[in-house]
Amino acid sequence: MLLSQLEVLKTLYYNKGYSIHDISMVTGRSIPFTTKAISELLEMGFIKEDGLRISSGGRKPATYSLSANTGFIVSVAIDQFKTRVVIADLGTGFIGETQELEINIHQKHDAIFDLVDFINQTITASGRPKERFLAIGITMPGFIDAFKGNNLLFVKSPQGTFVDFIAEKTGLPVFIENDSTAIALAEQKFGLPIAKNDSMIINLGWGIGLGMIVNQKVFKGHSGFAGEFSHLALYKNGKLCSCGKHGCLETEASLLAIEAKAIDGLKAGEVSHLSNYEHITADDIINEAIKGDAYAIKIISECAYYIGQGLAILIHLMNPESIILSGKGSVIGKIWLAPIQQAIHQHCIPHLTTYTTLAVSELGDKAQLLGGLAIVVENLDKIKDKISAWLTVQHQNHN
């Protein structure tokens, strides 16, 4: 019955307070099959009954959720300059503070050793029993071969694959995914309802990433590398991109571009609260824009227009139901929307824009961390032996 138990666990992870009928509909399993799995998990203490749902007539159905403090996942969100690690309880979400490590993955060739130490320290500091940790979900930029467990651009392993090395040093199964793909999964599972079906998820970060939801599934392309939105060659500006080409969208619209433009503008005499900072970072620009600094808003609006030009291409190609602005830069909120909409209306066939909704994520900079959790949950069937042993221990502890 392990398969049915995993299906119930996955369903309740994403949908708290579901009834047996709800779970049966999601999993496609019969009511008797689902009822048996629910009974087994209740006996083990891994799920709990929440109470009875309000009903307009007939018998009120019982609803269920995952129990707290039974299982934990580690989410590791890596960007070009910072790594964040958080531990999540399957039943309640994030526990404790998100831990941060400043590390430049472009320059530090032995970053994997720092990464292992940081993960192990975070697990130990949590005070949770190691045997209750299920797996680690790692999300990061670059060309990710999730099947083999390697990043083809950043953070090389000294032996074996990236995933195997981390797993050996931490003692836990490890799953890896591209950051923008993971953010798309997070938006589909935890975000706005319009992100569930046919949606383009834009990762506003040091690059401009893209995760795609097509027919309710994450789309990664033939080789798993779809979504390199950042490297659309749109401009003849002579600016060198991180990919080695010139004129990519990233050179005009990423957080790196926003930093560079802010610094150049202040040197040219622009007036802004940003001049009070000794070293200007993207976070500083974002914070000042949120406070209303006119120059910070101007820079972001210019970059937003460029993003809108790129989105017009996506709309022509994919005809998405929605475009969700997510990732680190999305915390700026509605400042993005007007210039992006302007560019879309100027560069896109009007009939197509009628059927695409543009929105800002409600997950903010937590989206990547949530994506790390989701990729573990999506792969529970790949660690069935560990799950089976874990369920057995949970059963013994509950009794």
Side-chain angles (χ1 to χ4, degrees):
M1 284 293 290
L2 181 59
L3 178 60
S4 63
Q5 292 166 358
L6 290 179
E7 291 173 339
V8 171
L9 295 179
K10 185 184 294 187
T11 301
L12 289 180
Y13 181 74
Y14 295 128
N15 307 282
K16 294 177 174 60
Y18 260 26
S19 68
I20 289 176
H21 178 266
D22 296 329
I23 297 167
S24 174
M25 292 294 291
V26 171
T27 62
R29 299 288 187 172
S30 68
I31 294 293
F33 193 88
T34 304
T35 300
K36 188 172 190 304
I38 288 286
S39 298
E40 291 168 346
L41 290 170
L42 279 170
E43 183 183 350
M44 295 174 185
F46 196 80
I47 66 174
K48 59 186 177 65
E49 186 174 321
D50 293 327
L52 300 178
R53 180 178 294 170
I54 296 174
S55 176
S56 57
R59 184 177 179 181
K60 298 177 181 180
T63 59
Y64 304 91
S65 295
L66 298 181
S67 300
N69 295 313
T70 53
F72 306 100
I73 298 174
V74 182
S75 178
V76 182
I78 302 172
D79 70 23
Q80 282 88 336
F81 307 109
K82 181 187 295 183
T83 293
R84 295 176 294 156
V85 178
V86 71
I87 293 170
D89 182 322
L90 288 180
T92 59
F94 293 172
I95 54 175
E97 297 294 323
T98 299
Q99 304 301 310
E100 296 186 353
L101 174 68
E102 301 288 340
I103 184 168
N104 188 327
I105 62 174
H106 288 279
Q107 299 175 356
K108 200 166 192 328
H109 301 299
D110 59 349
I112 196 167
F113 295 100
D114 295 324
L115 182 59
V116 165
D117 290 342
F118 190 45
I119 293 171
N120 282 329
Q121 289 166 12
T122 303
I123 291 173
T124 300
S126 75
R128 267 64 181 186
K130 185 70 173 287
E131 64 271 14
R132 292 189 182 179
F133 282 79
L134 295 183
I136 300 169
I138 299 179
T139 56
M140 61 193 305
F143 293 118
I144 304 296
D145 185 336
F147 180 75
K148 292 183 179 179
N150 267 325
N151 188 326
L152 305 183
L153 288 182
F154 305 118
V155 193
K156 303 298 183 182
S157 170
Q159 59 188 50
T161 69
F162 174 91
V163 161
D164 287 344
F165 185 82
I166 300 288
E168 178 187 351
K169 299 301 181 182
T170 61
L172 292 171
V174 177
F175 299 98
I176 185 174
E177 189 53 87
N178 172 268
D179 54 349
S180 297
T181 298
I183 286 172
L185 181 61
E187 293 293 346
Q188 184 193 39
K189 299 298 186 182
F190 305 107
L192 297 169
I194 55 174
K196 292 187 180 301
N197 298 315
D198 295 308
S199 187
M200 306 287 101
I201 313 298
I202 307 302
N203 177 15
L204 300 169
W206 301 112
I208 308 294
L210 170 64
M212 292 177 277
I213 307 296
V214 178
N215 293 330
Q216 300 184 357
K217 295 182 179 179
V218 174
F219 177 79
K220 298 171 63 174
H222 173 66
S223 302
F225 304 138
E228 289 299 322
F229 184 52
S230 204
H231 303 296
L232 291 179
L234 298 179
Y235 312 106
K236 296 186 181 298
N237 57 14
K239 295 180 180 179
L240 181 65
C241 180
S242 62
C243 70
K245 310 297 183 183
H246 293 83
C248 295
L249 175 62
E250 179 179 306
T251 65
E252 294 289 354
S254 65
L255 292 183
L256 285 174
I258 287 174
E259 279 188 0
K261 291 178 181 184
I263 293 169
D264 289 344
L266 291 173
K267 288 179 179 178
E270 292 282 356
V271 178
S272 168
H273 285 106
L274 291 169
S275 60
N276 297 325
Y277 293 83
E278 183 176 357
H279 301 289
I280 298 172
T281 67
D283 287 332
D284 299 330
I285 300 167
I286 288 171
N287 291 334
E288 289 300 330
I290 292 172
K291 293 176 185 176
D293 185 271
Y295 181 56
I297 292 172
K298 176 185 174 183
I299 296 170
I300 291 168
S301 296
E302 289 174 353
C303 292
Y305 183 87
Y306 292 131
I307 292 171
Q309 286 182 309
L311 293 180
I313 296 174
L314 291 185
I315 291 171
H316 283 134
L317 291 175
M318 301 298 294
N319 185 213
E321 175 185 359
S322 63
I323 295 174
I324 310 295
L325 306 178
S326 186
K328 179 181 175 68
S330 68
V331 297
I332 301 170
K334 294 182 179 180
I335 294 173
W336 291 107
L337 294 180
I340 288 178
Q341 287 280 22
Q342 180 187 359
I344 288 175
H345 287 309
Q346 288 182 347
H347 297 281
C348 197
I349 297 171
H351 185 69
L352 287 174
T353 62
T354 302
Y355 300 99
T356 298
T357 300
L358 177 67
V360 178
S361 169
E362 296 179 347
L363 303 182
D365 61 356
K366 291 183 179 179
Q368 189 177 344
L369 287 167
L370 289 169
L373 303 179
I375 64 170
V376 171
V377 174
E378 291 298 297
N379 286 284
L380 287 179
D381 59 319
K382 295 180 180 177
I383 52 172
K384 287 186 289 189
D385 290 344
K386 180 174 180 57
I387 298 290
S388 181
W390 170 61
L391 290 173
T392 300
V393 170
Q394 175 60 25
H395 190 194
Q396 293 170 345
N397 291 339
H398 183 66
N399 292 333

